[in-house]
Every structure is written in structure tokens, then in C-alpha cells.
Amino acid sequence: MSEPKKKQLRIIDDPFVAVGPSGVAIRDRLKHLTAEDERVLRLIGEHQGRLASYDLKARCEAGKDHDNDAWAARKRDLTEQSSSRIAGSITKATHDQYGLARRCLLAHIHNLETGIRTLRHRLSLAVGEKGSKRAPGGYRSKSEWFHKSRRLHTLEHRLELARDDWETGRVRVVRGGRRLLNTRHNLDAAQLTEAKWRQRWEAERWFLTADGESGKRYGNETIRVTPDGEVSIKLPAPLAHLANAKHGRYVLVSQVAFAHRGAEWADRISGNRAVAYRIHLDVERGRWYLTASWQKPVVKTIPLEAARAEGMVGSTPTPTISPPTTSTRTATPSATPSGSSTTCPAPHSIVTPRSATPSPSSCTGPSSTASRRSASRTSTSRPRRPARSTAVGNGSGS
């Protein structure tokens, strides 16, 4: 009987230094909104969502012939019905949505080309021919070969249409989501009524987003959030009569308090740095939320060899069990000498440069104090009585 073949393990790539996150987004709920607050938010969302739909339609009709002059003309048309800042946010969102649709179309073309190449290769082989590790073999039966040949013609037709869309700059975009749009035809499967679907559809098509501006008060002029959590919105021109504060602003009764990264957010708005906001409604729960987001500065990464030039020190969550090890450029770990085995308890495994490793004298705090107390209690406690052996003899008398 032949031995089973050993499965070849995949090759692990060389380690590298990963890039950190490029942005931050935090959210809090808008609680205790009055009926008037919700009515004003719905009117603003519907009005600006209608403008965003018109702008997206104009951008898609322009196709590849769009330029900076056309962008400026679209923004001027939107400014008459809203404001300059709201028009800028809408045109920017439209530009991003069109660009995303173009990238998705290109990825779709690449996927079709890959599938067509695979089908052509397998159809060119004899039925039942075995493949290799790098290329698949032929199809198992004539019936499968026939169905795959029909599949090849279908993919070729789709590729022709996709390439035509790419050349002409045509994209297919649905404000509100294509999945939710198709759900309209399958309400029973989605367990939705037409009224509930209509509420979700309208809420997804609202536009209650404002881009941040550095140098402006609290980093945003359209949707402003003060350090105390007061939320005020700059109303568009047709809805200026709904203002309840100065300069055409509407102040909500609800106040926000970001529990996650709240100190970082407060530091940004106190320095008048840009913070973007988005207000949206969760129709299923009937709750309003405010999302704050901002970009983080790009941190230049260094090659791994440069980081390991002077050696690195790695520690584990249980330093008392396994002492820290040092790693050099040759990747040879060595144990830390017994005289310097005292380390700070870490919440997770970390790797830091040797020059940044804290000394034993700097290991202070509640966690290190508790570990020393536990060690002292262990060393002064009475020795436990050994347990009675329960091993059974083998009958040899030994």
C-alpha cells in the first residue's frame, strides 16, 4: 500500500512593517430628539438627497467628457438651492461614487478575462485529461464540456458589453444601494412590507453629510458640534425659515458624547481641525446617529531591516514563565540574563527596539505592584502536603 502524499505547505512571505490606519470614525446616538427635530432632519435629508441625485445623474451623463469647468458649473447650480459648502460636499461625494463605480467596472473586466482564459484552456484539452499543479485539466465529461462552452460564449458577451462601457465612460450606480433596490421585488423573502421598504429606501437616499474644514470653528461650518456636545446644522437656503438660532442654523435638543476616542475628537475641534460629520437614521430601530470622522497623518514606515539594525526585544503576556528574548539582524533569539529578567507586565505581545525597552526600575504601577505582592505571598506561604499517589503497580513487585 502506497504512502499518502504529503500536502505541500504554502510559502510564507517575508515579514514587513505594516502601515497604520489612514482615518478614524466614531459614532454616537442622538437621543431625546423632539418631533420637530426629526421633522427638520427629514426635510434636510430629502432636500439635499434630491440635489445629490440630480448631480449624480449629470455626472454620469457627462461620462469621460467631464472636466473642471463642468464640475464648477455643477457646483454653481447646486449652490443656488443650498449653500457653497453643501454643494461642495455633494459634488465631492458624486465624484467619489463615480470613481468607485469605474474601479469596480475595471475589476469586473479583469475577472471576466481571467474566467475566459481558464475556460478556453480547459476546453482546448481532451475530455478527462489530468491537470498539473499550475494548470487545471480537461473537463470530466462531454456534457460538462458542452455546458462550459455555452458559459464561455456568455462571458465573452458580457466582456464585450463591459469593455464598451469602459470606453464610453458609462457606469451603473444606484443611490440607496442596488441590493435594497432588488429587495423591492422580493418583499416576502426579506420579510418586509412595502411601507417599511419605502422608509428604508428613502432614508438611504438622504444626504446629511458635511465635510470638515481646517481653520473653521470646531472644524466644520455646516454641521457644528461644540465641546459640550451641542449639535447645530446650517440650513440650506429653501429651508432657512426653519432656523431656531442665529445665522440660519438649527440647534438640536440632543447632545452627543463620544465614548470612544472622545479625547482625540475634543482635541481636534478645540484646535479647529477638520472633522467630517454624517447624520443617518436606523429605520429598523428608529434611532438617529451622528458619525464623526477625520483623516490621520501618513506615517512613513521604515524597512524591517532598518528597524532590526540595532536589535529588538520581544515580550509575552506571561513574562514570569518565559523571559523576554532579544533578536538581532541574524534573527537568532537569545534569552535575557537572569540578572535582568524582571519585565513589565504587557497586555499583549509587543516588539520594541532595544533602546526603547524600559529598565526594571521603571516598571511601576498597580499591575507591577500586584505581581510583586503575589510573589511575596507565594514565597512565604506554607508548603502544601503532597498528594497521595494513585498509580497502580504492574504486578512485578517492584
Side-chain angles (χ1 to χ4, degrees), residues 288-299:
W288 292 84
Y289 293 93
L290 174 68
T291 303
S293 59
W294 60 88
Q295 294 181 348
K296 301 191 70 173
V298 180
V299 179

PDB file of all heavy atoms in Angstrom, residues 288-299:
ATOM      1  N   TRP A 288     -31.562  57.800  15.576  1.00  0.00           N
ATOM      2  CA  TRP A 288     -30.702  58.689  14.798  1.00  0.00           C
ATOM      3  C   TRP A 288     -29.284  58.620  15.359  1.00  0.00           C
ATOM      4  O   TRP A 288     -29.084  58.557  16.576  1.00  0.00           O
ATOM      5  CB  TRP A 288     -31.214  60.125  14.856  1.00  0.00           C
ATOM      6  CG  TRP A 288     -32.521  60.343  14.158  1.00  0.00           C
ATOM      7  CD1 TRP A 288     -33.763  60.131  14.657  1.00  0.00           C
ATOM      8  CD2 TRP A 288     -32.700  60.810  12.817  1.00  0.00           C
ATOM      9  NE1 TRP A 288     -34.720  60.433  13.721  1.00  0.00           N
ATOM     10  CE2 TRP A 288     -34.096  60.862  12.577  1.00  0.00           C
ATOM     11  CE3 TRP A 288     -31.835  61.202  11.804  1.00  0.00           C
ATOM     12  CZ2 TRP A 288     -34.639  61.288  11.373  1.00  0.00           C
ATOM     13  CZ3 TRP A 288     -32.361  61.625  10.595  1.00  0.00           C
ATOM     14  CH2 TRP A 288     -33.737  61.660  10.378  1.00  0.00           C
ATOM     15  N   TYR A 289     -28.312  58.655  14.457  1.00  0.00           N
ATOM     16  CA  TYR A 289     -26.908  58.560  14.860  1.00  0.00           C
ATOM     17  C   TYR A 289     -26.107  59.680  14.192  1.00  0.00           C
ATOM     18  O   TYR A 289     -26.443  60.137  13.087  1.00  0.00           O
ATOM     19  CB  TYR A 289     -26.313  57.204  14.475  1.00  0.00           C
ATOM     20  CG  TYR A 289     -26.892  56.039  15.235  1.00  0.00           C
ATOM     21  CD1 TYR A 289     -27.965  55.317  14.724  1.00  0.00           C
ATOM     22  CD2 TYR A 289     -26.375  55.661  16.463  1.00  0.00           C
ATOM     23  CE1 TYR A 289     -28.508  54.252  15.414  1.00  0.00           C
ATOM     24  CE2 TYR A 289     -26.897  54.594  17.166  1.00  0.00           C
ATOM     25  CZ  TYR A 289     -27.961  53.888  16.638  1.00  0.00           C
ATOM     26  OH  TYR A 289     -28.489  52.825  17.330  1.00  0.00           O
ATOM     27  N   LEU A 290     -25.035  60.091  14.870  1.00  0.00           N
ATOM     28  CA  LEU A 290     -24.088  61.073  14.343  1.00  0.00           C
ATOM     29  C   LEU A 290     -22.716  60.421  14.290  1.00  0.00           C
ATOM     30  O   LEU A 290     -22.216  59.927  15.313  1.00  0.00           O
ATOM     31  CB  LEU A 290     -24.053  62.320  15.228  1.00  0.00           C
ATOM     32  CG  LEU A 290     -22.991  63.369  14.872  1.00  0.00           C
ATOM     33  CD1 LEU A 290     -23.327  64.028  13.542  1.00  0.00           C
ATOM     34  CD2 LEU A 290     -22.858  64.411  15.967  1.00  0.00           C
ATOM     35  N   THR A 291     -22.114  60.424  13.123  1.00  0.00           N
ATOM     36  CA  THR A 291     -20.797  59.832  12.912  1.00  0.00           C
ATOM     37  C   THR A 291     -19.794  60.937  12.629  1.00  0.00           C
ATOM     38  O   THR A 291     -20.014  61.752  11.733  1.00  0.00           O
ATOM     39  CB  THR A 291     -20.815  58.828  11.757  1.00  0.00           C
ATOM     40  OG1 THR A 291     -21.786  57.814  12.021  1.00  0.00           O
ATOM     41  CG2 THR A 291     -19.450  58.177  11.582  1.00  0.00           C
ATOM     42  N   ALA A 292     -18.713  60.956  13.380  1.00  0.00           N
ATOM     43  CA  ALA A 292     -17.617  61.899  13.175  1.00  0.00           C
ATOM     44  C   ALA A 292     -16.418  61.143  12.622  1.00  0.00           C
ATOM     45  O   ALA A 292     -16.105  60.032  13.071  1.00  0.00           O
ATOM     46  CB  ALA A 292     -17.243  62.588  14.485  1.00  0.00           C
ATOM     47  N   SER A 293     -15.736  61.724  11.655  1.00  0.00           N
ATOM     48  CA  SER A 293     -14.587  61.063  11.029  1.00  0.00           C
ATOM     49  C   SER A 293     -13.550  62.105  10.654  1.00  0.00           C
ATOM     50  O   SER A 293     -13.879  63.260  10.375  1.00  0.00           O
ATOM     51  CB  SER A 293     -15.024  60.277   9.784  1.00  0.00           C
ATOM     52  OG  SER A 293     -15.631  61.127   8.831  1.00  0.00           O
ATOM     53  N   TRP A 294     -12.311  61.677  10.648  1.00  0.00           N
ATOM     54  CA  TRP A 294     -11.204  62.539  10.227  1.00  0.00           C
ATOM     55  C   TRP A 294     -10.050  61.666   9.769  1.00  0.00           C
ATOM     56  O   TRP A 294      -9.978  60.480  10.065  1.00  0.00           O
ATOM     57  CB  TRP A 294     -10.759  63.464  11.369  1.00  0.00           C
ATOM     58  CG  TRP A 294     -10.277  62.770  12.604  1.00  0.00           C
ATOM     59  CD1 TRP A 294      -9.008  62.341  12.893  1.00  0.00           C
ATOM     60  CD2 TRP A 294     -11.084  62.385  13.735  1.00  0.00           C
ATOM     61  NE1 TRP A 294      -8.970  61.734  14.114  1.00  0.00           N
ATOM     62  CE2 TRP A 294     -10.210  61.764  14.659  1.00  0.00           C
ATOM     63  CE3 TRP A 294     -12.429  62.529  14.059  1.00  0.00           C
ATOM     64  CZ2 TRP A 294     -10.660  61.258  15.882  1.00  0.00           C
ATOM     65  CZ3 TRP A 294     -12.866  62.036  15.274  1.00  0.00           C
ATOM     66  CH2 TRP A 294     -11.991  61.412  16.166  1.00  0.00           C
ATOM     67  N   GLN A 295      -9.162  62.275   9.016  1.00  0.00           N
ATOM     68  CA  GLN A 295      -8.005  61.576   8.480  1.00  0.00           C
ATOM     69  C   GLN A 295      -6.828  61.704   9.439  1.00  0.00           C
ATOM     70  O   GLN A 295      -6.671  62.709  10.115  1.00  0.00           O
ATOM     71  CB  GLN A 295      -7.616  62.126   7.109  1.00  0.00           C
ATOM     72  CG  GLN A 295      -8.639  61.878   6.026  1.00  0.00           C
ATOM     73  CD  GLN A 295      -8.201  62.415   4.678  1.00  0.00           C
ATOM     74  OE1 GLN A 295      -7.234  63.161   4.592  1.00  0.00           O
ATOM     75  NE2 GLN A 295      -8.897  62.035   3.634  1.00  0.00           N
ATOM     76  N   LYS A 296      -6.017  60.653   9.441  1.00  0.00           N
ATOM     77  CA  LYS A 296      -4.813  60.659  10.258  1.00  0.00           C
ATOM     78  C   LYS A 296      -3.612  60.935   9.368  1.00  0.00           C
ATOM     79  O   LYS A 296      -3.578  60.510   8.195  1.00  0.00           O
ATOM     80  CB  LYS A 296      -4.635  59.322  10.983  1.00  0.00           C
ATOM     81  CG  LYS A 296      -5.805  58.954  11.891  1.00  0.00           C
ATOM     82  CD  LYS A 296      -5.479  57.776  12.767  1.00  0.00           C
ATOM     83  CE  LYS A 296      -4.452  58.133  13.820  1.00  0.00           C
ATOM     84  NZ  LYS A 296      -4.258  57.027  14.777  1.00  0.00           N
ATOM     85  N   PRO A 297      -2.609  61.647   9.860  1.00  0.00           N
ATOM     86  CA  PRO A 297      -1.431  61.931   9.025  1.00  0.00           C
ATOM     87  C   PRO A 297      -0.715  60.653   8.632  1.00  0.00           C
ATOM     88  O   PRO A 297      -0.651  59.685   9.408  1.00  0.00           O
ATOM     89  CB  PRO A 297      -0.569  62.816   9.929  1.00  0.00           C
ATOM     90  CG  PRO A 297      -1.028  62.515  11.320  1.00  0.00           C
ATOM     91  CD  PRO A 297      -2.484  62.210  11.217  1.00  0.00           C
ATOM     92  N   VAL A 298      -0.197  60.656   7.435  1.00  0.00           N
ATOM     93  CA  VAL A 298       0.505  59.485   6.922  1.00  0.00           C
ATOM     94  C   VAL A 298       1.846  59.360   7.633  1.00  0.00           C
ATOM     95  O   VAL A 298       2.637  60.309   7.679  1.00  0.00           O
ATOM     96  CB  VAL A 298       0.702  59.593   5.395  1.00  0.00           C
ATOM     97  CG1 VAL A 298       1.439  58.364   4.867  1.00  0.00           C
ATOM     98  CG2 VAL A 298      -0.647  59.748   4.708  1.00  0.00           C
ATOM     99  N   VAL A 299       2.076  58.203   8.224  1.00  0.00           N
ATOM    100  CA  VAL A 299       3.332  57.929   8.923  1.00  0.00           C
ATOM    101  C   VAL A 299       4.228  57.118   7.996  1.00  0.00           C
ATOM    102  O   VAL A 299       3.822  56.066   7.490  1.00  0.00           O
ATOM    103  CB  VAL A 299       3.076  57.172  10.234  1.00  0.00           C
ATOM    104  CG1 VAL A 299       4.392  56.872  10.948  1.00  0.00           C
ATOM    105  CG2 VAL A 299       2.151  57.974  11.137  1.00  0.00           C
TER     106      VAL A 299
END
